[in-house]
Every structure is written in structure tokens, then in C-alpha cells.
Amino acid sequence: MTDLFDLRSAEAPSAPLPADVKPLSLEAFLAAPGNATAVRLEPGDDARALLPHCDRLALVEVSFPVFGDGRGYSSARLLREAGYRGELRASGDVLVDQLAALRRCGFDTAAPDAPLDAAVAKASLTRFADVYQAAADGRTPIWARRAGKEG
Amino acid sequence: MYRYDSYDQAMVDARVEEFRDQTRRRLSGALTEDQFKPLRLMNGLYLQLHAYMLRVAIPYGTLSAPQMRMLAHIARTYDKGYGHFTTRQNLQFNWIRLEDAPDILADLATVEMHAIQTSGNCIRNISADQYAGVSADEVADPRPWAELLRQWSSFHPEFTYLPRKFKFAVIASEEDRAAMRLHDIGIQLVERDGVVGARLFVGGGMGRTPMIGHELRDFVPESALIAYLEAALRVYNRYGRRDNKYKARIKILVHELGIDDYRRQVEEEFAAIGAQGIEPPVEELARIRAFFAAPDYETGLPETVDRSDPDFALWLDRNVAAHKAPGYAIANVSLKPVGGIPGDATAEQLDLLADLAERYSFGELRTTHSQNVVLPHVRKADLPALWQALDDAGLGTANLDRITDMIACPGLDYCALANARSIPLAQKISERFARAGKAETLGELKLKISGCINACGHHHAGHIGILGVDRKGTENYQLLLGGSAAEDCSLGHITGPGFDEDGVVDAIERVTDLYLARREDDERFLDTYRRIGMAPFKEAIYD
């Protein structure tokens, strides 16, 4: 694993957790949560199983073994919709051209297998001034801007 | 027609810059082909046998004269002088250089066009009834709904890496001109208690495993449509199969779960998602709807048309449909000249269509899933002059919904997936049946050709379908009978062993001769097939 990449803007409220935190698998966490505050979700895991535990979790790491498997985007969004406020981290085959969508689905950080070009990453996160949909990042969708609502 | 505001324009402009940067990184080697592939696909750029193909989106098949002119410009400047209309109402260019693609997208953006999500495992261009807004039998114009869906689905962050592609169609009539039931989600606008909303069908599709969509919900009001679709897509994104790309479409998920279990999951998701504030206000649909207001039709126009020229009279009977406004008509322009390549148009023809749209159709054109073009608002009095201009340019063929008005995929002449050629076969069939007016004698007969099992040429839904396969290294064609993509949706059945290219043309001749011998009253080919069944056709073909 390379360095953590912070997807949030400079005024992010808190620093991410260290890159070497070792989250439990969902199965291990559900079997014996102990004092664990970090869980790792694989693409086939049901993120809803974590909903009763949202308050105690500080980190949910969502694994992307291959970038083309988009299940992790739904996992992230439904955790955010259920009120999870801890860190959401995308790990694995995370590429620079996925960052904007990850951010929109509520991810805070990325732990990519291969290092990201910082300049390209920044450009990809800031390229679209507006967005068409409401998602998990709190951005005001275009339809709300048109209606004069700044969300 | 819809016009971009500064927000829409900024989105496509940003997309052009993004793709320019991605292309630069690919050409520099920073992106591998595996990494670049989904990015280019989501911009409509597809690698075929000989070159890149760029598929330009024509949302819900509506375009303006300046947009059509831009397509002509691109054909002339970056391609070999022609373009190909597709079964998703789009237009594709088959001879594109990767280095030119960003400039082409920039050109498109100047006329409010793009190639966003015309390929890839994402929500594709939203298709619609080509007679939207002009047919008398619709409950509402489906295009504002389709535009709402276009915006919602563009760059959707959660649904950019779906298990497989996802296709929507929107219609608003009982008559289905858009193959609605053969889409991943088909939407039929319906009126219930004086309120227009969406009746949803899910899990239709063609490909290797053709299926007709199941009703998912009888009515979704416009105030909940986006949330409901988001729920439907989320269940698919989470549970659609990813282990086998041929089982990854939503039709397989719905088939494996059963429609009731899939519906239950969607309803649960919808209950959770409904409170998230993701639904655009109804004022947004109203804002979009205002762009689709009817043009300023003249009143007091004559209803009669001079039929003294028999060639014109035939075109009038075949290609012209009733318009809801008195004195106006819908003119279909066939891109299926005898012996031609179905759906192809030259840059000169595209320019001419733009000119004719300005002169005769309030500057508006439509494309159809049958690979034709429509001028939607023509004064009846202008029809003779319009036909003359079309005919002079090779666009006056009077064969709408006849056997020669066939759908055909690009086949082995272009496509890396194909097993057999489609175009030469289409040309042979066209020439055979145009001879001695046989196509006209046969009446409505929808023939559809796919060059491989992926079914881009809709062979499952043809009254007569042809599937090209590879049989021990030689091209072989299977024949199907009895499919329909319309409101009487059905899937065709294979007649039996396949044929070589000439053999399948002969087999179609025998099949149609049997129909002519056995038809009763005004029966279409499809009606006769349904009445008498496969057995007599098999006998005619193989005995």
C-alpha cells in the first residue's frame, strides 16, 4: 500500500486515520467486535450489516480489488445515508479517474495500490464545477441551483 | 427542443477537457489500455476491427438542423464522409483516429452535443418514441422525462461501474415504436386519475439471452421517479452478477431473483432512499417541459395532397404518418435505399436533411431505432416538394416497415465481435425483394439482422430475424420467425439448421411465398405466422 490520499478539500474537519490501521473483516467484526473501531468491506459484503454499529466505527475501508467492480460505491453511499460519520476509505485498485465519483459517494480517503499523480488527481477532483445529482458529498445539484436553492 | 443553460454547457465543456487529458495520458503511456478502455468507452470511443468508432449521443433521438450539420462536418473532416445511424438513435463514425477524438468532442460541444455514456457499463443514452410530441395517441411528450433522466444519469457517481450496460427507453403511447419492453428499464408514461406518471418495466433485453421486460410498478409519480430509479439501479449495482459478462445484465438478476423478490428489494431501498432529498423538484421537470412546447403551427392549412405522381403517392402512403396538428404530417426518411447499407448517410445527405428540416420542419429532426430519420412537422402542402428534394438525393425510398427497411448491425465488415457479415446480406435481401415490387406486396414485414449472438441488429425481435454465426470457420446464417419489438412484443424462434448467404435469402423467399399463399384478409406476415405456427414454414424451407 502506498500513502493515503485525502479526497477532501483543504478545510477537512479532521486528519485521516493512519494508513497502517488494520481493520477487521466484516465477518470477524460481526462475530467478535470487541473494541474494534475499524472494518474492511469486500465488494460482496453487505454494508447494511454495519448499520447497527455506525456510531462506534471510526473507519470503514471499502476494498476495490479491480477498479471496474463498482459495488463499493453503493456500499459507501448507503453507509452515509444511514448516518455513518466516520472515515470512509477506498483501497486497492483505485485510479485517478475514479476519485471524483468516490468523493461524491462519500469517501474521504483513498489508499491506492499504485501511487497517484498528485496534479492529475487534483485536476480530476476539481474539474466539474457542478453536479447533476444529489449524492453523499453534500454538493448542491444543478437542479437546486436553477431553483435558486443553494442547499 | 431542449437548450443547454450555462450549467449544461459547463458540464460538456468540462467533459471535453477531461477526455483531452485522459487521451494525453494514454498517448504518453501513463494510462494502460486496460485503464483507458472504460474511460474512452464512457465517451463513446470503441475500438473496432480497423479503426476507432465514435458514437455520438442523440438524446431521445431529437436533434436540430445545426446539430445535424455538425454531424456532417465531422463526417467530412474526421471520417470518410459518412456516418451510421444506430439502433439506439445515435450516430456513429467508423473511421476515427484517437488523436482526433478530443477535437471532435469539442466540436460537438459547440452545438450542445456529446458522446457521454454511449458505451461502457453505465446508463446509456436514453431513447424515446421518435413521434414524441407529434403523435395524437400519447398521454404526454416523453422527451422532458427523458431529458430529466439524461441529466440524472450523466456522470452518476454510484452507477459508473455497473455490472454491465444499462438502457432506458421512454414512450407515452399504447403503440410502442421504441422497443420499450426490450430495455433494461422501459418507461411508459400513463395517466391515472388525471395525473401523468411512469409505468415501469424491468429486465427486458436482447443479446444472448433475450427477455421481455416485466412490469416493476404500475405507477410512479413524477415526484418520486428519480428516487425510485436510483433504488432500482442500486439493487442491480449491488447484486447483478459480475462473474460472467454474459450474465451481468439486469435481466439475468431479475430472472434469477424472480420479479417479485427484485421488486421487494427495490421497494425496501426506495423506502430508505426516499428521505435523502435526491429527487429534483417537480418544477425542474416543468422547466424542461417548457422547452418542448409545440412550435407555432399555422392554422387553416389544406388537408389534401396532390397524389397525381404515383411514385410520390406511394411514398406518401408508406413513409408519412399522421400528425396531431391539422394540416401537418410526420415524414419518415428511409435510410434503406435498395441495395444500400442500412442506416448509412453521407455528409451531403446529412447537410441536406438539415436544410430540409429548416425549410419544412421547424428546424427539427428525429432519429429512429430502425435507423431512419424523421422530419416531424411538415405541412401537408409541402410534402411533394420535400419528397422531390429527398428523392433527388437518394433519400426518397418508399419502404417504411417493409422487408427492405431492415435493421442490420455493422457486422464483420467493421465489428470485432461479429461472426458474420451483415451488410452484404442486407444488400442482397434488399435487391431480391425490391425486384418486381415484392416488398410492397408483402406489406408490413420487419426484418432484422445481427452478425453475432450479441444481437445488436435486434434479430430476436424481427418478424423475420437473421443471426450470423461462425460454423467451423465459415459464415452461417440462422433464420428466426415471429419476433416483435412493438406493443405485441415477442421473441422469434429459430427455424432449424442455418444457411449460407444465398441460402438464407432463398429461405426468406420461401417463407414469404408461403405467407402470401396462406394470408387471410389484411393479415401481416407476423399475424399469419402466429395463426398457423412454425410447422408449415419449416416444411416450406427444409422439405
Side-chain angles (χ1 to χ4, degrees):
Chain A
M1 186 187 289
T2 59
D3 292 342
L4 266 189
F5 189 90
D6 200 327
L7 299 169
R8 299 167 298 181
S9 56
E11 62 271 22
S14 58
L17 292 170
D20 57 359
V21 171
K22 289 278 176 276
L24 292 179
S25 70
L26 177 65
E27 192 182 7
F29 176 80
L30 294 176
N35 296 320
T37 59
V39 178
R40 176 182 161 96
L41 291 177
E42 298 302 328
D45 288 341
D46 182 4
R48 285 221 158 78
L50 287 179
L51 298 190
H53 312 286
C54 276
D55 289 346
R56 62 175 291 178
L57 291 173
L59 173 69
V60 176
E61 181 178 313
V62 179
S63 156
F64 288 84
V66 289
F67 71 84
D69 186 334
R71 286 177 283 184
Y73 295 93
S74 289
S75 298
R77 256 190 95 187
L78 61 85
L79 284 169
R80 289 299 188 213
E81 288 170 6
Y84 172 66
R85 299 182 64 81
E87 183 179 335
L88 261 178
R89 179 178 296 177
S91 71
D93 192 16
V94 175
L95 307 175
V96 69
D97 293 290
Q98 275 78 54
L99 298 181
L102 291 169
R103 178 70 197 121
R104 295 227 60 216
C105 288
F107 284 98
D108 303 301
T109 54
D113 288 342
L116 303 176
D117 181 316
V120 177
K122 182 162 185 284
S124 77
L125 281 164
T126 54
R127 181 169 280 117
F128 288 87
D130 283 294
V131 293
Y132 274 128
Q133 318 79 3
D137 56 350
R139 292 177 77 180
T140 302
I142 286 171
W143 48 256
R145 292 206 184 281
R146 284 174 176 144
K149 295 174 190 153
E150 290 304 309
Chain B
M1 286 183 54
Y2 187 70
R3 296 301 309 267
Y4 284 6
D5 64 5
S6 60
Y7 294 110
D8 298 309
Q9 190 65 49
M11 292 301 276
V12 294
D13 289 345
R15 181 60 151 198
V16 171
E17 289 318 306
E18 180 180 57
F19 190 63
R20 198 180 287 286
D21 180 56
Q22 290 166 345
T23 304
R24 180 188 59 74
R25 283 185 279 135
R26 173 69 193 115
L27 292 170
S28 78
L31 281 173
T32 67
E33 177 54 23
D34 279 353
Q35 292 169 341
F36 182 59
K37 185 177 173 184
L39 305 176
R40 64 171 165 76
L41 289 180
M42 277 182 262
N43 283 285
L45 198 63
Y46 196 103
L47 189 57
Q48 299 198 126
L49 277 179
H50 312 292
Y52 281 98
M53 174 269 278
L54 179 72
R55 187 181 290 148
V56 178
I58 302 176
Y60 34 92
T62 293
L63 74 170
S64 68
Q67 289 174 329
M68 188 66 106
R69 238 174 239 123
M70 178 55 77
L71 296 175
H73 165 77
I74 292 168
R76 206 176 278 123
T77 311
Y78 303 103
D79 201 281
K80 293 187 175 182
Y82 58 94
H84 178 75
F85 288 93
T86 78
T87 57
R88 289 208 60 68
Q89 299 176 294
N90 293 323
L91 183 116
Q92 62 192 44
F93 296 108
N94 284 318
W95 302 98
I96 295 300
R97 292 174 353 122
L98 175 59
E99 293 82 346
D100 290 334
D103 291 336
I104 300 173
L105 297 184
D107 285 352
L108 289 170
T110 65
V111 292
E112 305 177 10
M113 293 186 92
H114 59 75
I116 296 162
Q117 293 168 214
T118 54
S119 191
N121 293 334
C122 49
I123 300 172
R124 301 289 188 88
N125 181 42
I126 313 290
S127 61
D129 184 347
Q130 66 270 20
Y131 292 172
V134 292
S135 78
D137 62 342
E138 67 185 17
V139 302
D141 188 335
R143 292 173 300 164
W145 299 69
E147 173 62 24
L148 188 77
L149 296 184
R150 184 190 75 84
Q151 296 189 25
W152 161 71
S153 60
S154 293
F155 320 108
H156 196 295
E158 188 178 340
F159 305 134
T160 298
Y161 293 94
L162 293 168
R164 201 74 180 84
K165 57 190 167 184
F166 205 94
K167 299 175 181 177
F168 278 93
V170 191
I171 68 170
S173 308
E174 286 302 321
E175 194 175 338
D176 181 2
R177 288 171 284 258
M180 183 273 288
R181 294 284 295 278
L182 295 169
H183 281 74
D184 295 284
I185 288 187
I187 299 180
Q188 181 188 8
L189 299 184
V190 293
E191 199 175 302
R192 302 270 185 264
D193 303 320
V195 179
V196 174
R199 183 181 179 205
L200 303 183
F201 293 85
V202 67
M206 290 185 255
R208 294 169 187 237
T209 317
M211 292 188 187
I212 296 172
H214 303 269
E215 185 174 285
L216 174 61
R217 212 175 204 252
D218 174 61
F219 191 83
V220 180
E222 65 173 82
S223 57
L225 181 66
I226 295 300
Y228 200 87
L229 295 177
E230 197 121 347
L233 266 292
R234 180 175 290 175
V235 173
Y236 170 57
N237 190 42
R238 297 186 75 206
Y239 298 112
R241 285 180 62 170
R242 292 176 188 264
D243 59 321
N244 179 343
K245 74 178 279 200
Y246 302 117
K247 295 180 190 269
R249 296 286 289 272
I250 195 173
K251 62 191 172 189
I252 303 294
L253 176 69
V254 172
H255 180 72
E256 289 182 352
L257 288 175
I259 181 66
D260 293 332
D261 194 23
Y262 172 74
R263 181 187 298 116
R264 180 187 58 73
Q265 293 194 37
V266 172
E267 294 283 342
E268 281 175 19
E269 197 67 58
F270 175 57
I273 234 171
Q276 294 292 327
I278 61 169
E279 190 74 42
V282 293
E283 290 78 12
E284 175 64 5
L285 185 56
R287 180 191 76 85
I288 295 170
R289 195 178 284 124
F291 286 100
F292 294 95
D296 288 328
Y297 296 124
E298 294 169 48
T299 54
L301 293 174
E303 293 292 336
T304 53
V305 183
D306 177 2
R307 299 176 56 92
S308 52
D309 180 332
D311 291 336
F312 167 71
L314 181 64
W315 181 80
L316 187 66
D317 292 340
R318 285 298 147 266
N319 289 33
V320 177
H323 192 287
K324 68 179 182 186
Y328 284 85
I330 303 168
N332 284 277
V333 180
S334 170
L335 298 180
K336 320 292 172 62
V338 174
I341 297 175
D344 270 17
T346 65
E348 292 68 33
Q349 289 175 325
L350 297 174
D351 272 335
L352 177 72
L353 287 167
D355 292 346
L356 294 174
E358 277 174 347
R359 205 175 314 153
Y360 299 120
S361 184
F362 293 93
E364 191 182 325
L365 303 112
R366 309 287 177 84
T367 55
T368 82
H369 87 273
S370 304
Q371 305 178 279
N372 292 318
V373 170
V374 174
L375 295 171
H377 322 276
V378 182
R379 287 182 299 202
K380 287 181 179 172
D382 289 335
L383 287 168
L386 170 64
W387 173 74
Q388 196 60 61
L390 289 170
D391 201 44
D392 290 346
L395 294 169
T397 313
N399 63 348
L400 195 75
D401 294 338
R402 267 45 196 172
I403 190 172
T404 50
D405 176 23
M406 62 194 85
I407 290 178
C409 73
L412 199 51
D413 291 294
Y414 293 98
C415 180
L417 302 174
N419 297 125
R421 287 168 297 169
S422 303
I423 292 170
L425 176 59
Q427 292 170 316
K428 269 191 184 166
I429 294 169
S430 173
E431 283 162 359
R432 173 85 66 99
F433 285 87
R435 220 179 283 157
K438 184 149 186 198
E440 187 55 28
T441 310
L442 290 170
E444 181 186 309
L445 207 172
K446 297 185 182 182
L447 186 136
K448 309 184 195 230
I449 307 172
S450 303
C452 80
I453 195 166
N454 292 306
C456 296
H458 295 189
H459 66 275
H460 301 294
H463 298 179
I464 295 177
I466 299 171
L467 167 62
V469 295
D470 177 281
R471 194 161 155 271
K472 295 176 189 150
T474 51
E475 294 163 77
N476 188 264
Y477 296 93
Q478 296 182 342
L479 191 62
L480 294 87
L481 303 177
S484 171
E487 60 281 4
D488 59 353
C489 193
S490 60
L491 301 171
H493 293 279
I494 293 179
T495 56
F499 310 87
D500 65 14
E501 192 176 285
D502 288 321
V504 77
V505 184
D506 292 338
I508 295 166
E509 184 112 52
R510 287 194 285 275
V511 161
T512 51
D513 283 345
L514 179 75
Y515 156 66
L516 291 176
R518 298 285 301 272
R519 80 169 156 195
E520 293 178 359
D521 306 321
D522 295 334
E523 268 183 347
R524 302 172 300 165
F525 172 85
L526 181 63
D527 303 322
T528 303
Y529 171 82
R530 285 174 175 169
R531 179 172 55 77
I532 69 177
M534 176 67 93
F537 287 99
K538 261 188 165 165
E539 201 175 304
I541 297 167
Y542 297 106
D543 289 353

